Amino acid sequence: MRAFDPPRKFDGVPRPLDSQAIDTNVTGDFTSRFVMDDRTAYGVTRSGIVATSLTTGKPRWTQDFPGAGSDASDPSLNDSADVSAPVLSPDHSTVYGVLDVELRGGGTESDSQAYQLIAVDTGSGKLDWSVNIPGVGLAYGAPTGGLTILSATDGRVIVGDGGGNSMSDGIVAAVDAATHKVLWTTRGDAYAVTPSAIVATAHSTTTAKTDYPLLVGLDPTSGKVKWTAGNDYESAPRDLSVLQTDSKTVVSFAHYSGASGTVTAAIDPTTGALTQRFPGVELSHPTRDGDAVYDVGVNDDGADELRALDPSTLQPIWSLPEANRMAPRDPVFFDGLVYGQVDHGMSVVLDGATGRDVTANIQGSFAMVNNVGAIMFSDDGKTAFVPATG
């Protein structure tokens, strides 16, 4: 396989992927729950992490989450839990996966729920370590949904549970990657990890408990609240989106009170102080690709919308749909190009700088792209790796 930086053509012979970790995790949107790393794709199932060779289409190795055993305290997998994408360590030597598990009680001790975080050697597939992050002893009960690994940098693996609704908090936790110990656990729904703070929402902190969510900054080293904002009902956030660029941390949210309008502003993640306002700007699902910023959403007519934004002003550079051109659905962004679905089971490649078509009439739908090719799926749900050819 040849590498292209970035790939524009996909005329290679598709290689079917014989992997449940891929098939079950192609969600048909821009949050497919696996990760590509050169010629390997890593996916999480409800039983473990699977590494799939993109060269052969076959699994390279499988590593299970430690399952139920004879000891009553052993965990069993929570079959109803959602899975999230695995995350690679900065040097790509380790892949992390997380899943809800149920800890069996003994005697008078009742069962409880926890997160099970595992670290697996990417070369051998051997389990390096695992740790259970307890969800007990915390307000509002056990994990509820949106479980994900938020970050695996600075020697810490940050895990978050999205809470599930605006009336309750999830859990955020940090694990030391060297000692494999749980550093801290706290309540909240985490949205972004910066070097100085984890940007989250929370109903209950060490200093306040409210019926509405606060915008909070958590210390990554201790989990303690560094700052709060939106400290009254009228300014409390709802439907929060966070965009992290090299120069700023931007939050965008509607009013929890139901008042009209959207607040979009840059904040100092260390203090929570507002540093720049963006009047009239509303972000739905902002994402970054190098220096480029995009936002994926739905316009006032209910049609899919894709916008490329100026990183400084967040004003549109280009947007789709326009005239007789549609916005590609469920876009994937890689190295300055946009890959997305159009009509009739086909896909297109766009220039991220101009929004103009680069390549059209590509069979199938993009799930993920890197410099050697793309994982694509067809209307019948079949997944394949398609080598890049230009």
Side-chain angles (χ1 to χ4, degrees):
M1 283 187 288
R2 293 179 58 192
F4 298 90
D5 195 19
R8 293 170 168 80
K9 297 181 180 180
F10 299 87
D11 298 324
V13 177
R15 297 169 187 171
L17 296 177
D18 180 20
S19 174
Q20 181 189 10
I22 304 301
D23 286 343
T24 60
N25 289 323
V26 173
T27 61
D29 61 19
F30 48 88
T31 57
S32 292
R33 297 182 289 259
F34 56 89
V35 62
M36 293 172 70
D37 184 35
D38 193 32
R39 290 157 175 81
T40 301
Y42 301 93
V44 177
T45 69
R46 289 186 175 86
S47 58
I49 299 178
V50 181
T52 301
S53 169
L54 300 178
T55 302
T56 66
K58 304 293 184 182
R60 279 182 46 220
W61 53 254
T62 298
Q63 176 59 61
D64 290 343
F65 287 92
S70 58
D71 190 321
S73 65
D74 282 348
S76 62
L77 300 180
N78 182 353
D79 290 337
S80 64
D82 244 347
V83 297
S84 62
V87 171
L88 292 161
S89 61
D91 63 1
H92 292 212
S93 66
T94 303
V95 60
Y96 301 101
V98 68
L99 192 71
D100 284 2
V101 296
E102 190 170 277
L103 301 179
R104 297 178 179 177
T108 59
E109 183 181 1
S110 60
D111 294 349
S112 61
Q113 285 183 283
Y115 306 132
Q116 187 168 91
L117 176 68
I118 63 174
V120 181
D121 184 283
T122 55
S124 67
K126 292 182 178 180
L127 181 68
D128 285 339
W129 52 267
S130 68
V131 64
N132 292 330
I133 304 169
V136 298
L138 297 167
Y140 305 110
T144 55
L147 179 60
T148 187
I149 299 173
L150 297 157
S151 173
T153 58
D154 299 323
R156 292 182 296 268
V157 183
I158 307 295
V159 175
D161 179 330
N165 61 65
S166 61
M167 298 302 294
S168 64
D169 294 332
I171 299 173
V172 189
V175 174
D176 188 302
T179 65
H180 324 149
K181 303 293 186 183
V182 179
L183 298 172
W184 52 262
T185 305
T186 191
R187 298 304 305 192
D189 295 349
Y191 289 83
V193 179
T194 76
S196 58
I198 300 169
V199 180
T201 58
H203 291 74
S204 181
T205 71
T206 54
T207 58
K209 185 173 182 179
T210 68
D211 293 329
Y212 49 84
L214 306 174
L215 187 64
V216 302
L218 304 175
D219 188 325
T221 61
S222 67
K224 294 182 178 179
V225 175
K226 300 180 69 171
W227 52 264
T228 65
N231 294 321
D232 58 70
Y233 181 73
E234 295 302 322
S235 60
R238 177 175 59 84
D239 300 331
L240 176 67
S241 296
V242 180
L243 171 67
Q244 180 69 36
T245 71
D246 289 337
S247 61
K248 58 173 72 76
T249 299
V250 178
V251 296
S252 184
F253 57 87
H255 296 282
Y256 184 80
S257 65
S260 62
T262 298
V263 176
T264 300
I267 61 170
D268 181 341
T270 303
T271 65
L274 188 151
T275 60
Q276 183 181 1
R277 290 186 181 273
F278 299 95
V281 172
E282 180 177 349
L283 301 179
S284 297
H285 294 93
T287 190
R288 233 188 117 178
D289 174 34
D291 293 331
V293 174
Y294 303 94
D295 190 45
V296 181
V298 176
N299 64 18
D300 293 339
D301 296 326
D304 291 302
E305 182 178 58
L306 171 63
R307 299 180 297 153
L309 306 178
D310 183 293
S312 298
T313 65
L314 301 185
Q315 293 298 316
I317 299 172
W318 56 263
S319 66
L320 292 173
E322 64 166 9
N324 64 338
R325 299 183 68 218
M326 65 184 296
R329 297 182 295 275
D330 309 325
V332 176
F333 308 96
F334 180 73
D335 205 11
L337 297 181
V338 181
Y339 307 79
Q341 308 168 32
V342 287
D343 289 338
H344 311 298
M346 307 296 280
S347 287
V348 67
V349 181
L350 304 181
D351 185 327
T354 65
R356 310 310 300 177
D357 290 14
V358 172
T359 309
N361 301 320
I362 300 170
Q363 187 71 45
S365 300
F366 289 102
M368 195 163 287
V369 178
N370 70 5
N371 61 355
V372 295
I375 292 178
M376 305 189 72
F377 61 97
S378 57
D379 289 343
D380 60 3
K382 302 292 186 181
T383 57
F385 173 73
V386 182
T389 54

